[in-house]
Amino acid sequence: MKITRLLRAACAVAIAATGMSAVAQEKTGNKPGFALAPGTARIVLMRPTIWVGEQSTGGMAEPNADWTMQARETIARALADAQAGLGNVVISYDEGSSGEGALVSEYSQLFGAVAESVIEYQFFSGNRLPTKKRKDSFDWGVGGDIARLKSLEGGDYALFINVHDEYGSTGRKILQIVSLFAPGAAVTSGVHKGHAGLVDLKTGELVWLNADQQMGGDVRTAEGAAKRVSQLLEGFPGRPAEAPATAAAATASPTTGE
Amino acid sequence: MKRLLIGLSLGLAVVAPASANSLVTAGPRPHIAESRFSASPTDEWNRLSRKDGKNVEIWTRDGDQLNKVTFFGGIPSGKPLVREIDKKHQPLPKVAADMLITDIPVLLESTYRIQYAVTQMEVDSQEPATLSGHKAIRFTYRFAREDDGVRRRGEAIGAFVDGQLYLVTYEAPALYFFDKDVEKYRKLAATLAL
């Protein structure tokens, strides 16, 4: 019982502290000058890259096939529900007879690496690369060769989504508490990150990215996946402006990023 | 409980921010990786503040996941290429006095497999070369890390000078990024001096 209470207290403080650091870090980036009016583009929703597992006591990520499968289903349903609200023609990726499946998967993985780099070296101002500090600099992409893919013909943009979740094991959570009493040896428990990004299919440039290292929503459940997808698509550039909410509705359901 | 919460808060607050990365401008650059290595880059690079080892320095253009030049400057006998994460359970192979230049690709491969959970790695080619007048080996390789699944290509040149290993590697995703920056790396590597 004591352990449970201790875990709860530690988690509460950890969430509060990580929340504070998240404030100092940007989560969304746009290529300067990029704008996407509702109803002007055809967007290809790429198959999300989803990885779910457990974080061992030592911090190693161990995949969990059942959780990953659950998350694939819940995220797919949540994305299907969210598509209608994106304000543009959104179609799911179809490989057709192109034989490009492996290459397209590689683009999804590359997008993940690009998004991670944007988070680490652009969004986090304390670690920004000097060449990325220049004014209006948001120069990222996956390369112009993406325009050659037959399976993406007819699309204006590709919407890539990555989800990576590691749920801390009991041992990891206990280690997290113990580490808090050893200055300089802070240990985190669990990893919950996600990226959503729009890539211009004519140039390969990343024109919009929403990425967060501390996302909410348990992706193994339908409710959690819906929350995660709504966070991933927060600030989506082609989304129509929301109708003005009444004061009562705004009070009843405030929109928050976390 | 109150004391505990205060203690936990303080514990989390001690996480220090990373120090700044720095700009590498065109022109002479001595003492790379705190060693005899010098170079005269003709392009701009970013030098990461992160250090993977005492004599290891990383330069990049867009982040080390997308393009990464690593200088291993004079790794002495008995030391691993990079700082060991888990010395007891996952010890890294060490540089040895009796190593030949043909052992360098194997040393890199073994290090990557242990340190970075690289599950696939192949050395594609190796050929004799010279590094600042010293007998060296140039080799190319491919690998994928388990954590992001991105297929990467690498190119490297290494030599033993006075019993110490001097090695420079360039690595980038095979898709787009390797070709985008490999010529900039090659121009940089051509100016290496010891």
Side-chain angles (χ1 to χ4, degrees):
Chain A
M1 192 62 175
K2 276 186 178 175
I3 288 280
T4 312
R5 284 173 62 188
L6 197 60
L7 279 173
R8 280 189 191 151
C11 287
V13 176
I15 289 164
T18 50
M20 281 187 288
S21 66
V23 171
Q25 184 173 336
E26 295 169 38
K27 292 176 187 168
T28 303
N30 271 301
K31 186 174 169 56
F34 169 72
L36 181 63
T40 58
R42 193 174 162 87
I43 295 165
V44 184
L45 173 61
M46 311 305 287
R47 281 190 203 116
T49 302
I50 294 168
W51 193 100
V52 188
E54 189 173 53
Q55 191 179 38
S56 71
T57 307
M60 296 294 286
E62 292 165 2
N64 184 308
D66 290 340
W67 290 351
T68 301
M69 195 65 77
Q70 285 167 20
R72 280 191 185 138
E73 288 169 11
T74 56
I75 294 268
R77 275 200 294 271
L79 274 171
D81 291 343
Q83 278 186 37
L86 294 181
N88 279 284
V89 178
V90 180
I91 49 164
S92 294
Y93 174 74
D94 182 5
E95 186 187 335
S97 57
S98 65
E100 293 171 339
L103 183 56
V104 169
S105 295
E106 206 173 333
Y107 269 108
S108 289
Q109 283 160 330
L110 181 64
F111 163 74
V114 171
E116 286 287 302
S117 302
V118 177
I119 292 172
E120 191 168 356
Y121 296 116
Q122 177 112 37
F123 286 176
F124 182 32
S125 56
N127 202 36
R128 196 166 287 166
L129 295 177
T131 56
K132 303 288 184 188
K133 281 181 182 170
R134 287 155 190 168
K135 64 168 189 165
D136 294 337
S137 171
F138 191 79
D139 185 16
W140 302 92
V142 298
D145 280 356
I146 198 169
R148 296 185 189 176
L149 292 178
K150 286 189 170 51
S151 53
L152 294 174
E153 268 177 6
D156 299 305
Y157 298 94
L159 173 58
F160 286 93
I161 287 178
N162 291 153
V163 168
H164 182 106
D165 281 75
E166 295 168 30
Y167 292 89
S169 61
T170 307
R172 182 71 182 176
K173 286 172 185 163
I174 291 171
L175 180 66
Q176 181 187 23
I177 295 166
V178 172
S179 74
L180 294 176
F181 299 99
V187 169
T188 56
S189 178
V191 175
H192 305 284
K193 59 186 182 182
H195 324 124
L198 268 186
V199 169
D200 186 326
L201 285 173
K202 292 182 185 68
T203 62
E205 290 174 319
L206 182 67
V207 291
W208 170 80
L209 179 73
N210 184 28
D212 197 340
Q213 302 288 61
Q214 292 155 356
M215 294 203 125
D218 186 337
V219 293
R220 297 167 296 182
T221 67
E223 197 177 79
K227 180 179 179 183
R228 176 67 61 87
V229 165
S230 109
Q231 287 186 352
L232 283 165
L233 298 177
E234 198 177 288
F236 188 82
R239 194 190 287 275
E242 286 178 21
T246 64
T251 310
S253 56
T255 50
T256 57
E258 292 300 303
Chain B
M1 184 58 79
K2 202 171 177 181
R3 272 191 193 168
L4 173 68
L5 288 173
I6 293 168
L8 295 175
S9 307
L10 289 173
L12 282 167
V14 298
V15 182
S19 56
N21 303 309
S22 55
L23 184 68
V24 177
T25 52
R29 185 94 182 174
H31 309 303
I32 299 171
E34 296 178 29
S35 73
R36 286 161 50 177
F37 255 144
S38 66
S40 289
T42 53
D43 299 281
E44 277 187 339
W45 294 84
N46 301 285
R47 175 183 185 264
L48 293 191
S49 59
R50 192 187 87 211
K51 287 185 74 78
D52 288 356
K54 186 171 179 285
N55 294 105
V56 182
E57 187 168 315
I58 299 169
W59 293 8
T60 182
R61 296 184 64 80
D62 301 291
D64 56 323
Q65 293 193 54
L66 301 180
N67 32 46
K68 176 184 183 186
V69 175
T70 310
F71 299 88
F72 300 92
I75 310 293
S77 178
K79 295 287 182 188
L81 280 179
V82 290
R83 190 180 296 115
E84 288 168 297
I85 293 172
D86 187 350
K87 198 180 277 190
K88 187 176 176 187
H89 299 102
Q90 292 184 301
L92 296 177
K94 312 291 190 294
V95 172
D98 59 352
M99 273 184 167
L100 306 171
I101 55 169
T102 47
D103 294 325
I104 296 173
V106 182
L107 178 70
L108 189 74
E109 180 179 346
S110 309
T111 301
Y112 277 23
R113 284 186 186 280
I114 298 167
Q115 189 90 336
Y116 304 124
V118 165
T119 48
Q120 305 163 33
M121 182 156 178
E122 289 100 39
V123 175
D124 290 327
S125 69
Q126 36 191 320
E127 60 183 27
T130 54
L131 178 57
S132 191
H134 301 277
K135 193 176 159 190
I137 184 168
R138 181 179 289 114
F139 58 101
T140 62
Y141 52 99
R142 284 173 293 161
F143 67 99
R145 289 171 64 144
E146 210 172 53
D147 56 359
D148 66 6
V150 175
R151 207 165 47 88
R152 290 185 169 83
R153 287 174 63 191
E155 189 169 309
I157 184 163
F160 287 102
V161 179
D162 297 335
Q164 296 183 321
L165 173 63
Y166 288 83
L167 172 67
V168 182
T169 63
Y170 164 72
E171 291 160 3
L175 201 58
Y176 176 53
F177 281 96
F178 186 88
D179 288 339
K180 179 171 91 73
D181 300 303
V182 69
E183 284 309 322
K184 297 181 187 81
Y185 157 73
R186 286 177 183 156
K187 278 200 284 182
L188 169 68
T191 68
L192 282 168
L194 283 166

